[in-house]
Amino acid sequence: MEPRWAQTGRDGPDDDERGQQRPPPSLFLQLPSNATLRFRGSVARAWEAALEEGEPPGPPQERDGEETGEQESVPLKQLPLCMAEKRRLRLQEQQAAWKRSRWEQWQVGTRRMWGQVGGTLLYAQVWRGSLHHIEGHFGTGIQSYFNFLRFLVLLNLGGALLTVGFVVAPNAAFEGLQLNQTQKGPNSTVISSCLQYDPTKRGLVSYFTYFMDLLSGTGFMELTHLFYGYYQNSAVHFVGFSYNIPLAYLLSVLGYFSVCLLWIVRRAVHLLKRSLVSENGALNTYSNKVFAGWDFCLGPGTAAHMKHNSLRYELRMDLEEQTLRRLMAQRSPGQRLGLYGLRGAVNLLVLALLGVAFYCVYLATEYSQHSQNSGLGQQGLVVGLLVAYLPSIVITAANQLVPLVFGLLVRLERYPLSLEIRLTLLRTVFLRLSSLLVLLFSLWSQITCNGDPDADSCRTCRYDHKQHPCWETSVGREMYKLLVFDLLVVLLVLLLVEFPRKLLVTHGPALLARLWGQQEFLVPPNVLDLVYGQTVCWVGAAFSPLLPLLNTAKFVLLFYLKKLTLFSNCRPADRTFRASSSSFFFLLVLLLGLAIAWVPLLYSVFVLQPSQACGPFRGELTMWGTLSAAIDTLPHVAREFLQFVGSLAFAVPLFLLLCILMFYLMALAHSYSRLVKELKGQLRLEGRDKVFLVTQITELS
């Protein structure tokens, strides 16, 4: 039996000029994509007219010009062409070079120069060879962790250069050169008892005391460039120029936070675009995994076997999720009500666990601060370290133990596997970042007497001077201890857990090896550890200017330690994330940590009164008063301009303009989303066209 298009084609010309048979134009009108004019419109008529003329629609000269323009904007080595075609294009470029004007030749030369500079910078990337080595053995999922770690190293290095270049180095240079400094004295209304601050030890000091001060940030460490209390409220005059140390301190801290925000947002937007393209499962989810899911950067042997297991796991996870959704759709109302009740009970239990963990952190902070002030921490090395690091120990224990309980409870809620993993991660993120907030709240309640300046302890100095004579240094000291303890935990886990486990699994009994198994390198928990450590650095950066530099050194050491344990002790996890979606999710968590760090910074700058006995802002009502005083010393025109920028006359029109811009972008995004939906519909119709054409070819054969 002949197909319909073959029967209808007998009424028209059967042969062309070469005598070969071709299908009539009515075949294209039978395509499923032409069944709906909503997508195609008059495209079908254009194709029919073009077929009658014997050439595709559209002027070929214009298409060639467009392709040539696109190829000129892309380097020749990046074009997906064979070598013969690239040689032909190179010859055409050389022949057409003499026809170009000088402006065009300059543009081509500039483009090539920037391409060569980009290629050179590509080879100058930090840890480029190590990252390729990790990708070749373990794939892009684990490589995303080390990419994220490299990004944090560069982020902290930029912040360290900013704070060291504008605060630490100038202050050290002024002291070494003994330049003329003009110090601002305390206000006449300040009581003399609020000016007392001397953390140095008197008399004979033992080695144990120096060791305790080094680990806990007390004693002589408080009078170093590491902490806020060391810097003076002074201005240095030399060669007709005045360097205001308090102003430089404030602007460098605000600049560091702003650079971090812009850098993270830029990277997050870039990764969001990639994740929207690669993680869209609306079209051909299974075929993408089967035909386009292989990682060709992998080396042979174990890495390829692990990638096979990863693809099998992803397909199994998709099938399990579809099965679970089908079962959920088949549940009766009573079964759904019972499941919702079970999930509600599990969420209440999760909240109870979080509440217990936060209360333990609060009690540990209260006890540690009270014991250090009462002298209990000086009774011995072990007792002193336990008292000093008690909040860090409790926070680390909560971060390690509570997520294990979350992993057991989430299985009772019967969510799809991907949602189960993300929900556990969100709860873990909330625990880690909220524990820092609880620690900061505990310190705030001690410093401000629970926000009551008329309390007995805060009535004299407007803050608890007896317990925290330099409260900024106290906050920076707690963040310093968290950073040191986090690094110590990584070293102890590596030496006492991971290496012994590798030895037991490799050389121990076979039963133990089967039960315990080789350790998995879990990317999400490791990245959350990085986010937690970076948030600690941000919180303490305003009160410890060298903390970004210490965090940079910590992350560099962590890179080599994690690389060592990855190749020596670990294997990739069975449950993997795609690099694009996980990287964007981790940057969102990092933005959340940065938002949490902005809270104590802005509160300290605009609301809380600085310490009267230490720091570059002594004698000021707020830290922001230093910037206001600096603006008053500017010329009249600059002062009026800055005051206008900070007034409502500028803020209200700017807010309205931003609202209009936001609504415009929302409308543009809505139109783009509709266009994307139409393009997806066209892709589905194109797929049906292929099936239709294959059916016709099968009937002909």
Side-chain angles (χ1 to χ4, degrees), residues 407-452:
L408 296 176
L409 292 177
V410 76
R411 298 179 182 178
L412 302 176
E413 298 178 284
R414 300 177 185 176
Y415 285 113
L417 191 56
S418 59
L419 181 59
E420 175 183 317
I421 296 174
R422 286 181 172 85
L423 185 60
T424 304
L425 286 178
L426 289 176
R427 289 170 177 173
T428 306
V429 168
F430 182 77
L431 169 67
R432 288 175 178 267
L433 299 184
S434 299
S435 61
L436 286 178
L437 288 178
V438 173
L439 175 62
L440 293 174
F441 175 77
S442 177
L443 292 174
W444 171 83
S445 62
Q446 296 176 20
I447 294 170
T448 63
C449 302
N450 294 318
D452 184 13

Side-chain angles (χ1 to χ4, degrees), residues 227-273:
F227 291 111
Y228 166 93
Y230 176 78
Y231 300 92
Q232 302 293 325
N233 187 357
S234 61
V236 180
H237 305 278
F238 63 101
V239 197
F241 177 75
S242 177
Y243 193 86
N244 193 337
I245 294 179
L247 183 62
Y249 192 101
L250 180 61
L251 293 181
S252 63
V253 171
L254 294 177
Y256 169 52
F257 276 74
S258 302
V259 168
C260 290
L261 177 62
L262 295 176
W263 200 345
I264 295 173
V265 169
R266 179 182 178 275
R267 186 177 177 89
V269 170
H270 174 68
L271 292 177
L272 176 61
K273 294 178 181 178

Side-chain angles (χ1 to χ4, degrees), residues 181-210:
Q181 298 187 19
T182 303
Q183 294 189 0
K184 182 178 180 180
N187 295 330
S188 58
T189 58
V190 177
I191 302 176
S192 59
S193 60
C194 298
L195 303 177
Q196 298 178 2
Y197 173 63
D198 187 10
T200 58
K201 306 295 191 301
R202 302 297 180 184
L204 182 62
V205 180
S206 63
Y207 174 77
F208 155 72
T209 304
Y210 284 112

Side-chain angles (χ1 to χ4, degrees), residues 197 217 222 227-229 470-478 543 614:
Y197 173 63
E222 297 185 33
F227 291 111
Y228 166 93
C470 186
W471 63 264
E472 295 92 347
T473 299
S474 299
V475 177
R477 187 170 61 238
E478 291 299 324
F543 313 109
C614 67

